[in-house]
Amino acid sequence: MSAVDFGAFVAELATQSGRAILPFFRALHATEDKSRGGVFDPVTEGDRAGESVMRHMIKRQFPAHGVLGEEFGSENTDAEYVWVLDPIDGTRAFISGIPVWGTLIGLTRNGVPVYGMMHQPFSGERYSGDGREARYEGPGGPKKLRTRQTTDLATATLMTTTPALFKGEEAAAFARVESEVRLSRYGCDCYAYCMLAAGHVDLVIESGLKPYDIVALIPIIEGAGGIVTSWDGGSAAGGGRILAAGSKALHEAAMARLAG
């Protein structure tokens, strides 16, 4: 496909998945718990509807591509190109009626994230990137995304979905960073990473992520001039413990505090 065709296809993935998901937002529909008695892990019919639409479109357009999704597992993940999908990243916010969730659409080539989009259909916002540049489309008109080049923890804004992500030494490590920043905020899932790419916050620190939670966000952050890795500086594509920063200097400072 040409670049224009690819862009149109991803845009249609976002449009159609959004149409499938939105009827379930702020509606009285049942929520299931996937945890089987563990930490509450909700899933809704909106999750399933959104992922089903995207999988169908991908299989029809790119039958040789693989797909990894949160709700329906993996197919052909040894393929050169693999789509990594999370229909509703932030399901807890979704079932609470709070519009800080989003649909994550990522694409890897030989395991490396090469394109990502976060679509928020309720607000009509789309954040996308290919690792070289990143863009926003939505209210206020389109624009390029650039991270804020904060270098000092003392002037930085930090985000995480919830401090409850961290246990034991992880909690102590997060606390070391949080104690030095100017401001910390909780509760935005994928939205936090997009706010970092847009230059509104400086750090996102999380733990326990799956590939479908982060793959789509990596090319957006990197395209906006930021850096996102595991806590030890490795690839973030496999999930786990994630550190994203708007600048290399701030990333290094946060890594040092995480390490003790």
Side-chain angles (χ1 to χ4, degrees):
M1 294 180 69
S2 69
V4 173
D5 291 334
F6 175 79
F9 176 73
V10 177
E12 191 65 8
L13 278 182
T15 296
Q16 296 304 325
S17 61
R19 288 176 179 170
I21 292 167
L22 272 181
F24 299 94
F25 183 53
R26 295 182 178 171
L28 299 178
H29 295 283
T31 300
E32 296 179 27
D33 183 1
K34 295 188 293 184
S35 70
R36 295 184 175 89
V39 176
F40 180 52
D41 187 10
V43 61
T44 71
E45 287 304 313
D47 291 271
R48 297 189 179 105
E51 187 170 321
S52 292
V53 166
M54 290 189 287
R55 281 179 176 266
H56 176 75
M57 293 175 65
I58 291 166
K59 289 179 185 178
R60 183 177 60 196
Q61 186 68 48
F62 301 112
H65 287 194
V67 180
L68 171 63
E70 179 174 15
E71 305 309 329
F72 298 112
S74 60
E75 297 179 61
N76 195 27
T77 51
D78 292 331
E80 179 181 4
Y81 290 98
V82 176
W83 295 84
V84 184
L85 311 173
D86 191 346
I88 302 176
D89 183 81
T91 303
R92 292 171 180 82
F94 183 91
I95 65 175
S96 302
I98 303 168
V100 289
W101 51 275
T103 298
L104 297 181
I105 304 170
L107 180 66
T108 64
R109 183 179 187 186
N110 297 321
V112 178
V114 294
Y115 183 85
M117 175 182 284
M118 190 284 270
H119 178 217
Q120 215 307 325
F122 185 75
S123 64
E125 296 179 285
R126 295 180 181 184
Y127 298 80
S128 61
D130 62 5
R132 298 181 297 276
E133 65 177 17
R135 294 190 60 79
Y136 165 86
E137 295 178 70
K143 62 182 178 181
K144 288 187 176 181
L145 297 173
R146 296 301 300 172
T147 60
R148 188 162 61 190
Q149 293 296 302
T150 302
T151 59
D152 187 357
L153 285 171
T155 58
T157 297
L158 164 68
M159 295 196 74
T160 192
T161 297
T162 170
L165 290 173
F166 310 108
K167 306 296 182 185
E169 175 50 37
E170 285 186 355
F174 176 77
R176 286 194 294 270
V177 180
E178 187 175 35
S179 69
E180 295 196 28
V181 302
R182 180 173 62 182
L183 175 67
S184 61
R185 303 295 296 169
Y186 308 144
C188 290
D189 296 280
C190 59
Y191 229 98
Y193 295 90
C194 292
M195 293 302 96
L196 186 147
H200 301 299
V201 303
D202 306 293
L203 285 169
V204 183
I205 300 176
E206 300 203 284
S207 182
L209 271 61
K210 303 298 184 184
Y212 44 73
D213 295 318
I214 191 65
V215 163
L217 298 164
I218 294 171
I220 301 172
I221 294 168
E222 293 179 345
I227 180 170
V228 52
T229 69
S230 61
W231 284 17
D232 61 5
S235 171
R241 302 189 299 181
I242 303 299
L243 168 62
S247 71
K248 182 178 179 181
L250 192 64
H251 183 270
E252 291 175 349
M255 277 190 61
R257 300 305 186 278
L258 288 171

